């Protein structure tokens, strides 16, 4: 049971994440267009929230300083049940600095950055950390303005690690959940973070902490025991008698949304056009944010080796890579974009001809229907993340492959490697030879084996949906809160 039916209405859920499910773009004075935001967090949560009276709290994707403009944007967002948090001056140091320049690489096992720009006095660790705390306070202010007694507050991701503490200091009775959408690294990596203890202590104030995989949860618990000296148990973390439950909730997608889309005449038409465009060739597909954790350069190196070693395939295969630009304010992201473009040029230069190019690379986002058409016509999906929380792209591909039964080549370092590993070909993306061999195996795989592997993964994607993920998290949170109320009454 997810909620107490006696109250006669759907329970209110405040979903708090840095990014709202829609991002605003200025179209004129006081006018805005709203577009769906990219990323797994938004995609995952969209499948969840129907069973709650849900409001989203988050950053609207633009800087707004003028009060009249803020009111106009808040009004448009309210129609989508979204409440904006305007981050103004703190945004750069908070988002580009602490969140995506410091925490994101640490959580993905990449260590703290050592580039020159981190030696800039305005961008020191301390300045960015202060901005991070200030931004978390701005989120708190908006939550307080909108909070009603009994609401559940579900905080998401590494941007909001101070919120559990701030919320409990404001009102210890608020039900607070926190979910990490990224990996959690080994304590040996996390330990280097100067603010390591404060962040852990804050998230431990939540009633329930969720992670995608058992390994991430285990890393988190052992990091707490090693850094804070608290006790780790099978339930979670125990600090001076108080237990914080730590549990595993693998996220999923809304599979029916993809299955239905593949049946639409418009999508079928797009599929036919794509099939015609790539007639006589096998299509390998990549869909990623242009992020260093996605291992796009490693994917291209593997493909280059495959073309080098298999000249008979050169005119018979194409790699279509859709890479939506992301976090352009962070220097490392600009660097990976340049690297990727360099590799596309090199590989197309080596193996292309006037009539055909081996890599079709697009730095852009594609609309939902077109994305489904691409997933459906692909023969192979190539996911080579160096580390990834889950990687929902691999789930989306499986959901769209009921007809074709293509092969998923998947990094063992993505959370999805643990859930879809049985049907996929798992690879270590750092091993170029392994990626090249997996491409060959996938392209040559007999229909019977493709069918068998697809069946296993499709079954998993169908049953482990985003809705199940949300229900499981919420029912566990409710149970914990009900238990602690009983304890208090005793
Ligand atoms: P992450 O959360 O790190 O971006 P995921 O694979 O979990 O990784 O989720 C990415 C989400 O963003 C998916 O729902 C996918 O469909 C969407 N997405 C990624 N790249 C694109 C793109 N180029 N165009 C449209 N949607 C994209
Ligand atoms: C990952 C993170 C999300 C984030 C998304 C897109 O999925 O876990 O929190 O929203 O990437 O990144 P962005 O920085 O554009 O919000």
């Amino acid at each position: 049971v997810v909620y107490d039916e006696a109250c006669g209405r759907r329970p209110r859920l405040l979903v708090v994440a840095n990014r709202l499910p829609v991002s605003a773009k200025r179209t004129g004075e006081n006018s805005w267009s709203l577009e769906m935001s990219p990323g797994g967090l938004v995609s995952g949560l969209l499948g969840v929230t129907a069973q709650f009276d849900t409001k989203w709290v988050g950053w609207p994707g633009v800087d707004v300083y003028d009060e009249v403009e803020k009111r106009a944007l808040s009004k448009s967002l309210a129609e989508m049940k979204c409440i904006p948090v305007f981050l103004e001056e703190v945004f750069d140091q908070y988002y580009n600095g602490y969140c995506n320049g410091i925490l994101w690489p640490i959580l993905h096992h990449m260590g703290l950055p050592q580039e020159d720009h981190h030696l800039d006095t305005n961008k020191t660790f301390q300045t960015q950390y202060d901005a991070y705390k200030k931004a978390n306070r701005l989120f708190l202010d908006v939550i307080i303005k909108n909070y009603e007694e009994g609401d559940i507050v579900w905080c998401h991701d590494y941007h909001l690690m101070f919120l559990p503490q701030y919320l409990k200091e404001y009102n210890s009775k608020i039900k607070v959940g926190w979910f990490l959408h990224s990996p959690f690294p080994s304590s040996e990596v996390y330990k280097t973070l100067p603010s390591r203890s404060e962040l852990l202590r804050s998230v431990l104030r939540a009633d329930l902490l969720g992670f995608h995989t058992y390994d991430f949860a285990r890393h988190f618990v052992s990091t707490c025991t090693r850094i804070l000296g608290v006790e780790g148990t099978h339930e979670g973390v125990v600090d001076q008698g108080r237990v914080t439950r730590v549990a595993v909730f693998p996220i999923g997608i809304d599979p029916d949304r993809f299955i239905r889309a593949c049946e639409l005449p418009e999508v079928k038409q797009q599929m036919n056009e794509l099939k015609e465009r790539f007639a006589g060739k096998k299509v390998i597909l990549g869909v990623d944010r242009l992020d260093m954790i996605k291992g796009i350069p490693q994917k291209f190196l593997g493909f280059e080796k495959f073309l080098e070693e298999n000249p008979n395939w050169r005119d018979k295969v194409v790699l279509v890579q859709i890479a939506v630009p992301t976090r352009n304010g962070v220097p490392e992201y600009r660097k990976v974009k340049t690297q990727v473009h360099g590799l596309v040029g090199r590989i197309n230069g080596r193996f292309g001809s006037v009539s055909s190019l081996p890599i079709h690379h697009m730095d852009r986002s594609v609309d939902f229907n077109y994305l489904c058409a691409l997933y459906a016509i692909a023969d192979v999906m190539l996911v080579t993340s160096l580390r990834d929380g889950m990687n929902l792209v691999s789930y989306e591909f499986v959901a769209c492959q009921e007809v074709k039964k293509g092969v998923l080549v998947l990094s063992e370092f993505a959370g999805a490697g643990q859930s879809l590993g049985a049907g996929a070909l798992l690879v270590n993306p750092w091993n170029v030879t392994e990626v090249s061999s997996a491409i060959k195996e996938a392209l040559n795989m007999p229909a019977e084996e493709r069918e068998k592997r697809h069946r296993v993964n499709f079954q998993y994607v169908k049953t482990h949906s985003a809705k199940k993920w949300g229900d499981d998290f919420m029912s566990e949170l409710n149970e914990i809160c009900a238990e602690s109320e009983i304890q208090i009454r005793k």
Side-chain angles (χ1 to χ4, degrees):
V1 177
V2 172
Y3 60 94
D4 178 8
E5 284 171 10
C7 68
R9 63 175 170 90
R10 285 190 303 164
R12 274 189 31 131
L13 170 65
L14 295 179
V15 171
V16 192
N18 175 64
R19 196 177 273 286
L20 286 173
V22 285
S23 297
K25 276 215 175 97
R26 209 182 292 272
T27 48
E29 208 179 315
N30 289 336
S31 70
W32 310 86
S33 71
L34 300 176
E35 281 169 17
M36 187 174 152
S37 312
L41 184 153
V42 166
S43 305
L45 276 163
L46 282 178
V48 166
T49 46
Q51 65 267 37
F52 299 95
D53 176 8
T54 305
K55 290 216 158 50
W56 292 73
V57 177
W59 174 64
V62 278
D63 293 330
V64 187
Y65 294 89
D66 179 77
E67 290 307 318
V68 178
E69 282 203 316
K70 280 185 192 172
R71 275 200 295 278
L73 178 54
S74 304
K75 213 169 142 204
S76 310
L77 287 168
E79 286 164 26
M80 323 276 297
K81 297 190 171 255
C82 291
I83 307 166
V85 180
F86 296 108
L87 294 167
E88 300 164 335
E89 289 76 19
V90 295
F91 178 75
D92 179 45
Q93 304 273 6
Y94 150 75
Y95 177 81
N96 294 320
Y98 199 73
C99 291
N100 293 316
I102 306 271
L103 285 179
W104 181 260
I106 278 270
L107 293 170
H108 290 84
H109 290 242
M110 289 177 175
L112 287 171
Q114 299 167 45
E115 313 273 333
D116 287 352
H117 60 268
H118 287 283
L119 306 177
D120 180 333
T121 47
N122 285 323
K123 297 199 169 153
T124 57
F125 178 85
Q126 192 58 46
T127 321
Q128 296 182 340
Y129 184 53
D130 291 344
Y132 181 79
K133 288 205 265 193
K134 205 162 163 199
N136 275 242
R137 288 252 174 236
L138 292 171
F139 276 87
L140 175 74
D141 294 343
V142 174
I143 297 169
I144 291 175
K145 274 194 203 128
N146 291 278
Y147 178 76
E148 287 175 17
E149 204 185 319
D151 285 358
I152 302 165
V153 183
W154 192 4
C155 309
H156 291 268
D157 238 354
Y158 60 100
H159 312 85
L160 300 175
M161 293 178 81
F162 272 112
L163 257 191
Q165 179 187 324
Y166 293 168
L167 283 162
K168 290 288 186 179
E169 281 168 357
Y170 165 68
N171 177 350
S172 61
K173 289 198 185 128
I174 300 185
K175 295 179 189 177
V176 180
W178 182 78
F179 191 90
L180 184 66
H181 291 259
S182 79
F184 196 91
S186 140
S187 63
E188 288 303 314
V189 177
Y190 180 82
K191 214 149 85 167
T192 54
L193 187 66
S195 50
R196 59 196 189 182
S197 307
E198 295 96 312
L199 290 171
L200 294 178
R201 286 207 186 282
S202 170
V203 291
L204 286 175
R205 296 291 300 275
D207 298 291
L208 173 62
L209 303 179
F211 296 85
H212 283 313
T213 71
Y214 175 73
D215 285 338
F216 303 159
R218 184 175 55 82
H219 279 151
F220 176 81
V221 173
S222 67
T223 299
C224 289
T225 61
R226 286 176 195 164
I227 293 178
L228 303 178
V230 293
E231 193 192 338
T233 69
H234 68 280
E235 282 211 57
V237 174
V238 185
D239 187 10
Q240 296 172 357
R242 185 182 170 274
V243 182
T244 307
R245 177 96 176 98
V246 177
V248 179
F249 303 92
I251 201 172
I253 58 168
D254 174 0
D256 295 334
R257 184 167 167 248
F258 288 85
I259 295 166
R260 274 196 310 268
C262 291
E263 293 299 320
L264 294 174
E266 180 196 336
V267 176
K268 291 209 156 147
Q269 169 70 22
Q270 285 170 327
M271 286 184 206
N272 287 338
E273 282 165 20
L274 284 164
K275 279 187 209 155
E276 218 169 277
R277 168 78 190 78
F278 297 120
K281 294 189 182 189
K282 294 268 185 189
V283 177
I284 303 176
L285 179 65
V287 177
D288 305 272
R289 279 182 308 102
L290 192 34
D291 191 309
M292 54 276 183
I293 66 141
K294 300 293 180 184
I296 302 173
Q298 285 73 9
K299 180 177 337 197
F300 288 169
L301 287 178
F303 185 58
E304 183 177 38
K305 189 160 180 71
F306 170 74
L307 294 176
E308 231 166 55
E309 292 180 348
N310 298 280
N312 54 323
W313 271 104
R314 284 182 198 163
D315 277 337
K316 299 192 191 97
V317 65
V318 60
L319 169 58
V320 177
Q321 175 67 47
I322 317 280
V324 59
T326 177
R327 306 176 191 168
N328 279 325
V330 186
E332 279 76 4
Y333 285 78
R334 298 199 289 268
K335 202 163 121 192
V336 78
K337 194 168 174 180
T338 312
Q339 272 177 350
V340 163
H341 290 176
L343 282 168
V344 173
R346 181 172 93 195
I347 299 167
N348 280 346
R350 281 185 73 190
F351 300 106
S353 66
V354 176
S355 56
S356 96
L357 289 175
I359 302 183
H360 291 240
H361 176 89
M362 281 151 278
D363 282 343
R364 81 171 76 106
S365 136
V366 291
D367 76 36
F368 179 70
N369 283 350
Y370 192 66
L371 183 64
C372 291
L374 275 168
Y375 282 142
I377 62 102
D379 297 278
V380 177
M381 180 86 206
L382 194 46
V383 177
T384 49
S385 308
L386 305 180
R387 294 275 163 187
D388 216 336
M390 179 54 82
N391 192 277
L392 291 181
V393 158
S394 35
Y395 282 57
E396 294 170 2
F397 168 73
V398 170
C400 293
Q401 281 280 321
E402 266 299 73
V403 176
K404 188 124 202 187
K405 298 173 176 76
V407 184
L408 175 63
V409 176
L410 176 59
S411 166
E412 62 184 86
F413 301 119
Q418 296 187 16
S419 42
L420 303 182
L425 294 178
L426 287 183
V427 289
N428 169 3
W430 294 101
N431 186 337
V432 179
T433 312
E434 205 177 298
V435 175
S436 158
S437 309
I439 292 175
K440 189 170 178 182
E441 190 182 343
L443 289 171
N444 289 313
M445 192 178 281
E448 207 179 308
E449 189 176 348
R450 283 195 279 114
E451 159 84 41
K452 208 168 75 195
R453 286 173 177 270
H454 170 74
R455 194 57 37 229
V456 177
N457 279 351
F458 188 76
Q459 202 50 36
Y460 186 91
V461 169
K462 273 288 271 183
T463 46
H464 293 75
S465 63
K467 184 176 177 310
K468 175 175 163 32
W469 168 74
D471 281 353
D472 288 352
F473 188 93
M474 282 301 160
S475 74
E476 178 119 13
L477 180 57
N478 253 6
E479 234 165 72
I480 293 166
C481 293
E483 266 168 36
S484 71
E485 262 170 42
I486 293 167
Q487 295 294 333
I488 292 166
R489 282 202 210 112
K490 274 188 191 163

